[in-house]
Amino acid sequence: MESTIKIMSSSSEPVFPASTVNPNCSKWRFKWEAQSHTSTLRLILFSSNIKPCTEITVNLSVEKSLLTVCFVEGDTIRVPVPRVLIDPEAPVHCRVFDDHVEIKLALLLPVDHPLISGLDLSEPEPEEEKLDSDTCFPFSVNYEIKKLSAMEEVHFYCKSCSTKLTKGIRLFNEMPSVDWQDVADNWFGTCCCSFGGISEQLVMKFAKSYSCTTGVCLITGASVIIFKEDLVVCEFPVLKRDQTYDSQLNSAKMTSLRPCPEEKNNGVKPHNVVVKMMINGDSSTCIHSKLKDEDKMKSLAGISSEANCDIKNHNTGCCSNNLSERFSKDREYEMNTELLDKQKIFLKGCLGDAFMLRHSNLSKDVKWIEFLCPKCSSLIGAYPCSSDKAPLDDGVRLYKFNISTCLPVVGLNDLFREYTLERMFSRQLLEAAQDELTFRTVVRDIHTKRALSQIVLLNPNAWCYSDYCVHNMEPVAKINMYPVVKLLFSANINDTELELRNVEEWVTKNQADEVFMLPSQVKELITNLEMANTMLPPSHMLLQGFYMSSLKR
């Protein structure tokens, strides 16, 4: 069915001559926009150097998925209509502005309706390539682990130049949450009695068990962590603390052979006469033989053997000062003797992959080094280090949006083909908005902590498609709208005292969320935001001092 509407503008502006208003002599752009849960589809038509004429005719062909705009001078531009369910009986609304034309169509169903997602107007895909609704982007870490583990062996490649980056990887595990310490404290509490000890034990055991080993890949939401020896054609500085690690490890084992600390002269015969060393994984723990069986039960409640002896010998209450001090000293003693330097650093919150880090993930003792492709020198990852510039935990983070899981890169079998920097950023931006209930974010340099961009979230559930209009001789392609996050942003913040002070005041006043990123990633992000801004007419580019833009999600 075709519907035609003739629009006469009420503007008193004169009609431009045909030689001036000729859409085929310049690049007209179009942008389709829609909101979730609404049944309206909006089209914006504009050109950078031509002002729309005052009289146009709009012709909609639903069967051909084509919308034609005819100017009074006889020139015509064609716009492909996206895959949506348009109401053919509804009228077409059109308005002409100074720098663009706005056309609105009525929909039978919103663009994100489940019935729309079930439609497929494109070429049929092989059955094995189709993904069900539970496995569509963004993929879950569990799904990625399942798919990668099903492969016999996985090599990772640079997405820019297809260079092989790693040896064959066969084992994949999920990287624990970066806020594991806060979770343990919130769940078990921090008191020295009852379940409080479990929190400290989990903290210590996690720090001891966390390590990158050859042949094992740890997976996070934004990256994969590879052991440095599994990378090909890459050299790192030699750790200066290898001997220190060995001596600390030997010291921890020797310490476990001596008796546990006894009570001073208190008139009570000590119970810890016999000592036996128990090896638990990679740690050595001192356990009383007499209390061995009982300690197995007490350990579930977070009570150590020494604390158990104190409870028997001192009937001064649950959280007496003597017991509290003794428990704290014992925990500090155990952690200092059993944790190596590179393990202790994790207690300071340096876990993560340097992508949108929070304050809790930063440490003054840790620096993040950009990891470049050995062939094309493009950024593919990062790793934490101390003063020696070597990977602190022997692991290098490779960002999913910079690597591929097979050749050809971005092919159908590439598990990371859908990942891009902007989609990963918008995904985590929305997660932070849901968790923190904040719609304002400041992006800071991970090295200098200086503000590089301000972002205000406007609409997390928008859909759009942008391109150039189709001329008469060009075939009309089928297009699909994609989900985006609409936002405002500021960029290129000058390093002046006044502007920096204004930004900090904005952060404080609006309780903005703060994220820290590598400067090269912020630069790429701002480039994407600026590019999306150019796909708007001049009257839509600015709002309250910020630039309008969007990011794919």
Side-chain angles (χ1 to χ4, degrees):
M1 177 179 291
E2 294 188 0
S3 58
T4 302
I5 180 172
K6 189 174 183 180
I7 306 297
M8 294 291 295
S9 175
S10 60
S11 172
S12 59
E13 295 287 340
V15 177
F16 290 90
S19 59
T20 303
V21 186
N22 185 357
N24 292 328
C25 295
S26 64
K27 291 293 186 179
W28 279 78
R29 292 182 173 182
F30 72 88
K31 183 173 185 178
W32 290 103
E33 288 186 342
Q35 313 297 328
S36 296
H37 312 302
T38 62
S39 299
T40 301
L41 181 65
R42 186 174 74 152
L43 171 65
I44 297 177
L45 282 170
F46 67 99
S47 177
S48 59
N49 57 352
I50 294 180
K51 189 174 183 178
C53 60
T54 57
E55 183 178 347
I56 62 174
T57 301
V58 179
N59 180 36
L60 174 63
S61 175
V62 178
E63 292 81 0
K64 298 179 181 179
S65 297
L66 180 67
L67 186 142
T68 305
V69 179
C70 300
F71 293 84
V72 67
E73 295 83 2
D75 298 313
T76 302
I77 58 176
R78 303 189 301 164
V79 180
V81 178
R83 186 190 66 168
V84 291
L85 290 181
I86 297 176
D87 186 355
E89 303 296 333
V92 178
H93 300 278
C94 181
R95 297 174 64 187
V96 179
F97 296 90
D98 287 340
D99 61 351
H100 69 281
V101 177
E102 181 185 81
I103 301 174
K104 290 185 177 181
L105 306 177
L107 300 177
L108 294 174
L109 293 173
V111 293
D112 60 342
H113 194 279
L115 290 179
I116 300 296
S117 61
L119 297 177
D120 190 4
L121 303 179
S122 58
E123 294 296 328
E125 297 179 354
E127 193 66 29
E128 61 271 12
E129 298 297 339
K130 293 184 178 180
L131 296 175
D132 56 56
S133 58
D134 296 331
T135 58
C136 292
F137 183 88
F139 300 135
S140 67
V141 172
N142 289 334
Y143 174 79
E144 292 176 341
I145 292 178
K146 178 181 177 182
K147 297 295 289 186
L148 292 172
S149 300
M151 304 178 188
E152 182 178 351
E153 191 175 57
V154 177
H155 296 269
F156 292 105
Y157 301 85
C158 173
K159 188 172 288 187
S160 298
C161 65
S162 302
T163 298
K164 182 187 291 187
L165 302 173
T166 67
K167 302 176 183 177
I169 307 295
R170 297 176 179 270
L171 184 60
F172 301 90
N173 294 324
E174 180 178 2
M175 176 65 186
S177 172
V178 294
D179 58 351
W180 50 271
Q181 189 169 8
D182 293 337
V183 171
D185 290 341
N186 293 335
W187 184 262
F188 296 105
T190 57
C191 179
C192 64
C193 63
S194 185
F195 292 98
I198 289 185
S199 176
E200 293 189 6
Q201 289 185 25
L202 288 177
V203 168
M204 185 180 64
K205 289 182 178 180
F206 180 84
K208 286 160 50 179
S209 63
Y210 173 78
S211 62
C212 296
T213 58
T214 182
V216 179
C217 172
L218 299 176
I219 300 181
T220 71
S223 68
V224 296
I225 305 179
I226 304 295
F227 183 57
K228 63 180 182 179
E229 299 298 334
D230 288 335
L231 295 168
V232 297
V233 199
C234 297
E235 295 182 0
F236 298 95
V238 179
L239 282 171
K240 299 178 181 179
R241 299 187 303 272
D242 285 342
Q243 294 181 353
T244 304
Y245 293 160
D246 294 338
S247 62
Q248 287 180 331
L249 184 60
N250 293 332
S251 175
K253 292 182 178 180
M254 291 300 296
T255 303
S256 64
L257 296 176
R258 68 181 183 84
C260 296
E262 298 182 9
E263 289 295 320
K264 294 184 179 179
N265 186 15
N266 54 10
V268 180
K269 186 176 180 179
H271 295 278
N272 54 341
V273 177
V274 181
V275 177
K276 182 177 180 180
M277 185 179 70
M278 301 290 296
I279 304 296
N280 231 343
D282 61 342
S283 63
S284 301
T285 306
C286 180
I287 296 181
H288 299 268
S289 297
K290 182 177 180 180
L291 302 177
K292 175 181 175 182
D293 295 333
E294 184 178 355
D295 281 346
K296 289 183 179 180
M297 300 298 296
K298 294 291 184 181
S299 63
L300 297 177
I303 303 177
S304 64
S305 302
E306 296 86 344
N308 184 45
C309 294
D310 282 334
I311 293 175
K312 290 184 177 182
N313 295 334
H314 298 273
N315 190 18
T316 56
C318 174
C319 289
S320 64
N321 292 334
N322 194 0
L323 176 58
S324 178
E325 294 176 0
R326 175 61 182 277
F327 191 86
S328 298
K329 290 180 180 179
D330 288 346
R331 303 309 301 161
E332 182 180 359
Y333 164 82
E334 184 178 0
M335 293 178 68
N336 287 337
T337 56
E338 294 189 13
L339 291 183
L340 309 182
D341 284 342
K342 68 175 183 179
Q343 295 170 338
K344 292 176 186 176
I345 203 71
F346 300 131
L347 302 181
K348 300 180 180 179
C350 71
L351 293 179
D353 47 25
F355 186 76
M356 298 184 68
L357 292 184
R358 263 61 181 184
H359 267 297
S360 59
N361 308 128
L362 299 177
S363 172
K364 63 180 181 180
D365 301 322
V366 176
K367 298 180 181 179
W368 286 92
I369 304 297
E370 295 186 356
F371 185 72
L372 308 180
C373 173
K375 183 177 181 180
C376 67
S377 298
S378 61
L379 176 68
I380 55 176
Y383 62 88
C385 73
S386 186
S387 58
D388 50 22
K389 305 298 182 181
L392 185 63
D393 58 355
D394 298 331
V396 176
R397 283 77 173 154
L398 302 180
Y399 296 117
K400 296 177 182 178
F401 45 81
N402 293 136
I403 61 174
S404 297
T405 59
C406 65
L407 293 177
V409 298
V410 200
L412 289 177
N413 295 323
D414 182 7
L415 187 61
F416 298 157
R417 66 183 180 275
E418 299 291 343
Y419 283 102
T420 61
L421 173 66
E422 62 173 320
R423 298 185 78 175
M424 190 64 68
F425 181 88
S426 61
R427 173 184 175 183
Q428 296 198 16
L429 190 69
L430 293 179
E431 290 178 356
Q434 294 175 353
D435 296 339
E436 307 294 337
L437 298 179
T438 178
F439 303 99
R440 295 173 175 85
T441 303
V442 59
V443 182
R444 298 184 182 274
D445 188 324
I446 196 173
H447 303 307
T448 65
K449 311 301 185 290
R450 188 173 72 88
L452 300 179
S453 180
Q454 299 163 270
I455 292 178
V456 181
L457 185 62
L458 294 180
N459 188 342
N461 297 311
W463 295 72
C464 78
Y465 185 90
S466 303
D467 207 341
Y468 290 98
C469 294
V470 181
H471 298 317
N472 292 332
M473 301 302 295
E474 298 180 63
V476 179
K478 294 181 179 179
I479 61 175
N480 296 307
M481 301 182 71
Y482 50 83
V484 297
V485 178
K486 296 186 69 174
L487 49 82
L488 302 173
F489 79 99
S490 68
N492 302 323
I493 299 176
N494 296 323
D495 193 9
T496 61
E497 182 178 353
L498 177 61
E499 188 161 355
L500 290 178
R501 184 168 64 249
N502 292 338
V503 172
E504 298 304 330
E505 291 177 355
W506 180 84
V507 172
T508 304
K509 178 181 178 181
N510 296 284
Q511 297 182 342
D513 190 20
E514 296 179 284
V515 297
F516 300 82
M517 297 177 61
L518 297 172
S520 59
Q521 290 181 335
V522 179
K523 182 179 179 180
E524 180 181 348
L525 176 66
I526 292 177
T527 300
N528 292 334
L529 291 171
E530 292 175 340
M531 186 176 300
N533 179 258
T534 62
M535 296 303 296
L536 296 170
S539 60
H540 285 54
M541 286 185 171
L542 286 171
L543 179 64
Q544 299 179 354
F546 287 84
Y547 292 99
M548 289 279 295
S549 187
S550 62
L551 291 174
K552 292 183 180 181
R553 59 177 172 89

